[in-house]
Amino acid sequence: MNASTSGGKLPLHGPRRVIFPPKTVGEFVSNVNRYPVTAVQRRFYYLLCRMGTSRFSGHLAFKLDKLHCSYRSLSESLQPYGHVDNFLIACYCLKFFEESHPSRSKKHYFFPYIGESMMNYRTDPEALLVKKAFEGACSARKMHLSNLLYFPICFQHHWFLFIVDVTDRLFVFLDIFYTKDDDYQLHVSAILIEGFKTMWHRFINYATLPFDDFQVVYPATPRQENRDDCGVYVLKFLGLWNSPRVCLPSLLSREDIPNVRIQLMNEIYFSPLNQADKTILYNIYADICAAAKAGRGPSKTSRITTK
């Protein structure tokens, strides 16, 4: 099938249904370590966390084209109980784009401020931001010929993921804290769906889709027990959710989060796409390893101290 025309079309036997685990079954906890980390990954993780509070905190930890985040941003986002910030989510969205171009993946990952702008679509500056984002996305692959549109959003210091599933005709909300009946989601879902439909009809007016027939769904997700893990879950959902047949509680649980934080930090920092200079970190790590081997402390020039 031609990749240029296959995206955005209904499955052969109609839209697929969302999978829900039995209500009598609690959150799945595997005896197998689903997100293993090596000793080296763990060392780099703790080193990167310390870099975020050191004299190097303002240096770039990740850079890809014009987008970047500092060691402070990386550390504060992924350290234990850290709250993920917009810069890191945006970097991951661009990373997904570069690793699997929409012309192949048929997916679009929008920066967090685009979802937030859709919630304020009645103001001209916000609508202009959405217009530019939609035009940029369509230059990579027409949105109506894509399968999935991802909008990570932080509203009132809480992250959730809004997905427009063009293939299965769904508006998907992945929220690990609020349910569909909570005032929070009743508010954001109504505004987001209306904002998305309005922006689509204004800026993608050459392609009509039956959005009024799209079903609003809240698939089962792991449940959050604190206020800080929501962004970490959203980062994982961006990679895990690719169809209504995905059962997220069987793939991720709260017990996985400490290792997921370590994996995510190593994954983005050591990504082949990262254009930031890693010399400082490598020199510090090499000196620490040499000092440990020789039974001495690290040199003063390599020692990480807080500001």
Side-chain angles (χ1 to χ4, degrees):
M1 185 178 292
N2 190 321
S4 64
T5 59
S6 62
K9 290 187 176 181
L10 283 168
L12 181 61
H13 300 290
R16 294 165 291 183
R17 293 183 300 174
V18 176
I19 291 180
F20 289 94
K23 293 183 179 180
T24 56
V25 178
E27 183 174 323
F28 177 75
V29 179
S30 173
N31 292 325
V32 179
N33 187 353
R34 291 176 294 194
Y35 299 93
V37 295
T38 66
V40 172
Q41 287 177 318
R42 199 175 296 275
R43 291 190 202 108
F44 272 116
Y45 173 75
Y46 288 120
L47 189 56
L48 286 165
C49 286
R50 294 185 63 188
M51 292 281 281
T53 57
S54 73
R55 62 185 186 275
F56 308 112
S57 62
H59 292 220
L60 295 187
F62 182 85
K63 181 179 184 298
L64 181 54
D65 297 333
K66 296 181 180 180
L67 200 63
H68 57 79
C69 73
S70 66
Y71 282 107
R72 181 187 301 111
S73 174
L74 184 64
S75 171
E76 291 179 354
S77 293
L78 293 176
Q79 66 186 353
Y81 304 106
H83 194 275
V84 175
D85 69 15
N86 287 28
F87 296 106
L88 184 62
I89 296 273
C91 288
Y92 257 95
C93 288
L94 184 56
K95 177 175 173 289
F96 281 127
F97 173 88
E98 294 291 345
E99 288 176 340
S100 187
H101 192 272
S103 62
R104 301 188 306 274
S105 68
K106 304 169 193 170
K107 299 176 182 177
H108 287 290
Y109 300 90
F110 292 90
F111 293 160
Y113 70 86
I114 300 304
E116 295 164 19
S117 294
M118 287 198 305
M119 296 179 69
N120 299 285
Y121 66 94
R122 291 185 176 89
T123 64
D124 290 339
E126 302 293 346
L128 181 59
L129 289 174
V130 177
K131 179 177 184 290
K132 290 181 177 178
F134 281 12
E135 289 176 345
C138 287
S139 68
R141 182 183 181 89
K142 298 296 184 184
M143 289 170 63
H144 69 287
L145 296 177
S146 302
N147 292 340
L148 295 163
L149 314 176
Y150 297 86
F151 297 91
I153 298 168
C154 187
F155 179 67
Q156 295 182 350
H157 204 61
H158 172 69
W159 285 101
F160 65 94
L161 184 58
F162 172 52
I163 305 170
V164 180
D165 186 335
V166 178
T167 301
D168 292 291
R169 306 298 196 249
L170 299 173
F171 289 124
V172 182
F173 288 87
L174 300 179
D175 192 324
I176 64 169
F177 191 79
Y178 295 104
T179 70
K180 64 179 181 180
D181 298 318
D182 287 324
D183 289 342
Y184 180 96
Q185 273 298 333
L186 289 172
H187 173 71
V188 299
S189 62
I191 294 177
L192 265 174
I193 292 173
E194 184 61 30
F196 173 79
K197 291 194 293 186
T198 301
M199 296 294 95
W200 182 284
H201 293 315
R202 282 182 62 180
F203 306 131
I204 318 290
N205 51 22
Y206 53 82
T208 302
L209 289 176
F211 291 123
D212 289 340
D213 297 329
F214 276 36
Q215 183 183 0
V216 180
V217 295
Y218 284 78
T221 66
R223 303 315 297 166
Q224 181 180 359
E225 292 188 331
N226 57 55
R227 302 293 293 181
D228 297 313
D229 287 339
C230 51
V232 177
Y233 280 102
V234 165
L235 283 172
K236 288 303 295 181
F237 291 166
L238 286 168
L240 291 174
W241 180 272
N242 54 31
S243 87
R245 311 308 290 169
V246 172
C247 185
L248 291 170
S250 68
L251 301 175
L252 184 66
S253 72
R254 67 178 73 95
E255 284 76 15
D256 298 316
I257 294 302
N259 278 10
V260 166
R261 286 180 177 271
I262 296 173
Q263 283 191 353
L264 288 172
M265 186 177 283
N266 278 270
E267 180 182 293
I268 195 163
Y269 187 79
F270 294 108
S271 167
L273 297 171
N274 188 4
Q275 301 162 354
D277 184 4
K278 306 181 187 70
T279 304
I280 295 174
L281 185 82
Y282 283 143
N283 287 343
I284 293 173
Y285 182 75
D287 183 72
I288 291 174
C289 291
K293 188 175 182 179
R296 59 174 175 80
S299 65
K300 291 183 179 180
T301 58
S302 301
R303 197 168 295 153
I304 298 180
T305 57
T306 56
K307 295 183 292 183

